[in-house]
Amino acid sequence: MRPAAKVLTVSDSVHAGHAEDKSGSALARVLDNAGFDVTERRVVADGVEEVAAALRILAQDFTGLVVTTGGTGFG
């Protein structure tokens, strides 16, 4: 059985449908190639509250790996 992983992409433009989630797709491929089963991918807009809420949801009752990508960094 492969370990589970979830991917969270933080991006205003992807969340709004203006851009493709390239980093999330690439990360999911890397995790798959490393032997993980990516069970969920989620996209949220930039912002502390949005990211924190998504991480809480993804981590609730989950014992696998949660990985994030994207974001604008310090603004």
Side-chain angles (χ1 to χ4, degrees):
M1 184 172 188
R2 292 164 38 120
K6 296 180 180 184
V7 175
L8 175 65
T9 299
V10 180
S11 172
D12 286 337
S13 58
V14 173
H15 186 260
H18 300 299
E20 181 183 350
D21 183 12
K22 293 179 183 178
S23 68
S25 296
L27 186 53
R29 280 192 306 276
V30 167
L31 289 166
D32 182 62
N33 289 338
F36 287 88
D37 181 19
V38 178
T39 60
E40 185 174 352
R41 289 180 52 193
R42 185 178 291 245
V43 176
V44 295
D46 294 345
V48 173
E49 294 302 319
E50 292 86 348
V51 174
L55 287 171
R56 280 192 294 274
I57 291 166
L58 289 172
Q60 185 175 5
D61 299 322
F62 183 66
T63 59
L65 178 68
V66 177
V67 184
T68 64
T69 183
T72 58
F74 296 105

